[in-house]
Amino acid sequence: MKIETSDKAAISNPRRQLIAGTVGHSVEFFDFLAYSYLAVYFAPSFFPSSESGLVPLLSAFGVFAVGFLARPLAGLFIGLFADRYGRRRALSLTISLMAGGSLLVAICPTYSQIGVAAPIILTVARILQGLSAGGEYTTAGAFIVESAPAGRRGFYSSFMFVASGIGKLTCLAFITLFVALIGEDAMRDYGWRIPFAVGALAAIVAWYIRRGTQETLETTASDEGAAPVSRNPLNALQRYPRQSLIVFAIATGMGVGQYFWATYLTTYFQIQNGASATTAMTVGIITLILYTLAQPVAGLISDRYGRKPCMYAFGVGTVIVTPFLLSITSSNFSVLICIQLVGLLLLSLCTSITSAVMVENFPPHVRVSGLGFPYSLSVAIFGGTVPLVATSLANAGYSQYFPWYIVATAIITLLGAIAVPETFRSDISGEDS
């Protein structure tokens, strides 16, 4: 079975496609990022240490990074699966993997119960979630952008990060409320398991919703007349090396920005600014709402004026403001909101259009596998290690260098934006995409 790339059926209900894609992606992010938000509670249960300080948390974030190491493999093989057998089947696979990983974390025994097997099981669960996340973003991104009406690919693309914003927001709000209800001690004892269990159940619901979507690339039982789809997972990388390198560069600063400004910053505020967990999470909720609302606006801007100006604004703005913002050590509520909001609004100029830019640079028969590997590899190397890098520097007493890490990765994305062709008016339906 292979993918028809020349005679794709018209999408009868683009809005339904958009809703189905974003609902599933929201659940994926809820499940994947719950680990980061809950690490401060469960780390001692899996990584006990007689040492004081950040050692258990550092170990927990090491496993967080392991989840990202599985993403490039998923980008290759789930991407190849999506290009051969369709986006919808691939999306069902990714949501199933996420449900399994979240359930495994929820029921995993602690170190005191089964010893070293506990962190091993936790690592396996994160690998499953990493495989899911590695295939999910690029497949869902292609699915949603391919479903978009003419002239609205940037707008539709922006809902990938509307979905991730909703997933983060829901996760953060749920955890904040749950901590307030049962208290910090109960949260460390057993409460951290509940969000993972809820996430696993939500993933099953999302899987059911996705079953009713329309395939954006038709499959046929016959190979006659179908565009060839290579079985080699590196085919797209070999045939489109320049596009692959550009995707890698664009994903670098975007990935670091996403996992710092929108995820790890709640922990960063607690470690560096001395904010309470409740204050940091409340700040995160407020700024994530505004960040989510900004995505479609940025997507519409890119549909009117192009993708490149938005990426330029993100890269230059991040380089200029990051060292100043992260030099502020105040734990004042309003100050923390300003710090996070400025970072997130700049980030929205890039995240809103990343899917559109990547999809517009590859032809249909290698689209998901082509963008999946370089994107996932970049996010694994840079985005997935944000908590580990930041916590390691703080533990060693060198936290003042972390802002320059963000600056360096933003410069890489800026170089990718300079190299990428302007594609907001391009045709993505055929081989010349």
Side-chain angles (χ1 to χ4, degrees), residues 206-217:
W207 172 83
Y208 181 79
I209 292 173
R210 283 181 167 180
R211 290 183 62 208
T213 58
Q214 181 181 348
E215 177 57 59
T216 56
L217 291 178

Side-chain angles (χ1 to χ4, degrees), residues 136-154:
E136 163 68 20
Y137 177 79
T138 51
T139 305
F143 175 82
I144 287 174
V145 174
E146 288 168 351
S147 298
R152 284 292 181 265
R153 292 199 301 261

Side-chain angles (χ1 to χ4, degrees), residues 66-254:
V66 166
F68 279 83
L69 297 180
R71 293 182 68 151
L73 288 177
L76 279 176
F77 293 103
I78 294 180
L80 183 63
F81 183 90
D83 285 335
R84 284 192 69 87
Y85 302 111
R87 317 313 192 207
R88 189 173 64 173
R89 290 186 181 182
L91 290 175
S92 294
L93 173 60
T94 61
I95 201 75
S96 299
L97 289 171
M98 186 61 74
S102 295
L103 181 61
L104 192 56
V105 176
I107 65 175
C108 184
T110 64
Y111 188 93
S112 63
Q113 293 172 321
I114 60 172
V116 72
I120 291 175
I121 293 174
L122 184 67
T123 302
V124 170
R126 283 303 292 176
I127 290 173
L128 289 177
Q129 291 187 320
L131 291 171
S132 171
E136 163 68 20
Y137 177 79
T138 51
T139 305
F143 175 82
I144 287 174
V145 174
E146 288 168 351
S147 298
R152 284 292 181 265
R153 292 199 301 261
F155 179 67
Y156 268 55
S157 169
S158 72
F159 279 88
M160 285 296 294
F161 279 89
V162 169
S164 64
I166 291 173
K168 293 185 189 73
L169 184 61
T170 304
C171 184
L172 193 55
F174 182 87
I175 292 171
T176 301
L177 178 60
F178 203 61
V179 172
L181 287 174
I182 70 173
E184 297 276 346
D185 291 340
M187 198 69 188
R188 291 186 178 89
D189 184 25
Y190 67 89
W192 59 267
R193 297 182 183 273
I194 306 301
F196 288 111
V198 170
L201 179 61
I204 295 173
V205 174
W207 172 83
Y208 181 79
I209 292 173
R210 283 181 167 180
R211 290 183 62 208
T213 58
Q214 181 181 348
E215 177 57 59
T216 56
L217 291 178
E218 289 187 344
T219 59
T220 64
S222 171
D223 289 340
E224 183 178 356
V229 181
S230 173
R231 294 180 181 273
N232 175 13
L234 296 175
N235 178 52
L237 183 64
Q238 293 167 348
R239 292 184 60 187
Y240 303 95
R242 183 174 182 274
Q243 290 93 325
S244 298
L245 186 60
I246 289 173
V247 167
F248 182 92
I250 290 174
T252 298
M254 189 277 293

Side-chain angles (χ1 to χ4, degrees), residues 254-330:
M254 189 277 293
V256 168
Q258 175 70 3
Y259 287 98
F260 177 71
W261 295 109
T263 304
Y264 180 73
L265 195 56
T266 55
T267 301
Y268 186 91
F269 280 154
Q270 295 173 60
I271 295 173
Q272 295 298 325
N273 293 61
S276 68
T278 301
T279 296
M281 287 189 174
T282 303
V283 167
I285 291 171
I286 294 172
T287 55
L288 278 174
I289 291 173
L290 298 174
Y291 170 65
T292 301
L293 294 174
Q295 299 291 326
V297 176
L300 287 171
I301 291 172
S302 79
D303 283 331
R304 184 173 179 84
Y305 299 107
R307 317 296 188 216
K308 291 168 74 74
C310 291
M311 290 188 287
Y312 289 160
F314 159 73
V316 173
T318 300
V319 168
I320 292 173
V321 306
T322 298
F324 169 72
L325 291 176
L326 298 188
S327 69
I328 300 172
T329 58
S330 172

